[in-house]
Amino acid sequence: MRNITLGTTGITAPQNGFGALPIQRDDMETSVRILRKAYEGGITYFDTARAYSDSEEKLGEAFGNNGIREKIFIATKTAAKTPDAFWKDLETSLNNLKTDYIDIYQFHMVPQCFKQGDGTGLYECMLKAKEQGMIKHIGVTAHKIAVAEECIESGLYETLQFPFSYLSTKRELNLAALCKEKNMGFIAMKGLAGGLINRSDAAMAFMAQYDNVMPIWGIQKESELDEWLSYMDKTPELTGEIKEFIEKEQTELAGDFCRGCGYCMPCPAGIQINNCARMSLMLRRAPSESWLNDHWQAEMKKIEGCINCRACTTKCPYELSTPELLKKNYEDYKKVLAGEVSVR
Ligand code: SF4
Ligand code: SF4
């Protein structure tokens, strides 16, 4: 496993980072066990966020008072919209993480590229926090490509975090090259495209082509961790078989598809958009029986109640026409249920 250095931060860690969003769904004991096992297995880069409920607390519990903190790198995020909220978030994160500094403090899913003098006062807060030693580096996470490009161009950020996988578009993949040119760290989230990629070796082999990309794999179960740790000694390579598999996947998933991120929710009609808008893909990429049970039939039926308010479309970072996508998936779902279309 190669080490990645995140641009000017100097942070160097194995190209196998830990995304700590899913451990929200584990209990404290399980999370601490998984996090410590990750560290013992060689993972030293951990990414969390103030918005991931108790994820920071779990990291604090795992690494806070046992001498491990200084041996790892912790990145967290704030979605604050005002300076007051920024300082409150930072204080909470430091307490939760049981630390007195954060290695990379990131603006979370920014709607714009925050800059000095833009009237929000937020970038000024970052500078002050860095001056005071509360944070070591300033980073940003984005979901909109134009905003990400502006953040790189601004020269104000030391790292960019963006969804990045072999299903990304050319323009999205080019972000890694742009960051390299600017000597800026690039952190890849959603390396499994929100669950659509189901071969970790292919995902890892794809990432390993880049010498400046740090993937943060979302890990909830010990078995998932074991899979990523198994690559520490032997990193998968882009063999002919894996290349062929990736090309097939790219053809199958070309065009606009729902990544399942859930940023468009809640929906006033109660539709579980993050699963229903990609049901056709899930039916074909995961055992279909579980998606065809009574529960999911009832969930899919809710699409009939869409009031076309377009709130989802406005919030979708991928600018998808969500109501239309839902309807398309519902039509396909009904055909699969009726046996008119085979998914096997
Ligand atoms: S347009 Fe339909 S799916 Fe989207 S938020 Fe409104 S009701 Fe929900
Ligand atoms: S429609 Fe857009 S925002 Fe909603 S889950 Fe899918 S990708 Fe995410």
Side-chain angles (χ1 to χ4, degrees), residues 267-323:
C267 155
I271 302 166
Q272 282 201 37
I273 303 173
N274 58 337
N275 284 311
C276 297
R278 57 181 188 152
M279 186 55 83
S280 295
L281 288 170
M282 299 314 280
L283 283 173
R284 288 158 179 85
R285 304 177 68 81
S288 57
E289 300 74 34
S290 53
W291 294 108
L292 294 170
N293 64 18
D294 290 350
H295 169 78
W296 283 108
Q297 286 182 39
E299 289 301 327
M300 288 301 283
K301 198 167 168 48
K302 287 184 189 166
I303 294 173
E304 291 175 9
C306 168
I307 53 171
N308 208 25
C309 66
R310 316 293 299 179
C312 49
T313 303
T314 317
K315 286 186 265 178
C316 176
Y318 306 98
E319 294 167 359
L320 298 177
S321 298
T322 316

Side-chain angles (χ1 to χ4, degrees), residues 165-168 173 206 243-255 257 285:
S165 73
Y166 63 65
L167 296 178
S168 299
L173 294 178
F206 170 80
K243 267 190 203 155
E244 211 176 290
F245 171 77
I246 290 178
E247 277 162 25
K248 196 168 149 267
E249 294 261 283
Q250 286 166 335
T251 312
E252 197 178 316
L253 290 162
F257 62 91
R285 304 177 68 81

Side-chain angles (χ1 to χ4, degrees), residues 178-203:
L178 292 176
C179 281
K180 196 169 179 173
E181 268 171 36
K182 293 267 183 188
N183 198 14
M184 187 173 161
F186 186 82
I187 300 148
M189 66 167 120
K190 300 198 186 299
L192 296 178
L196 288 177
I197 294 176
N198 47 28
R199 265 187 68 174
S200 65
D201 60 341

Side-chain angles (χ1 to χ4, degrees), residues 23-35 54-62 98:
I23 57 164
Q24 292 177 100
R25 300 190 278 271
D26 291 326
D27 59 32
M28 181 62 85
E29 199 189 324
T30 309
S31 303
V32 169
R33 191 179 66 245
I34 290 176
L35 287 163
D54 62 359
S55 167
E56 291 179 329
E57 286 168 65
K58 287 166 170 165
L59 279 160
E61 195 60 29
K98 297 194 170 83

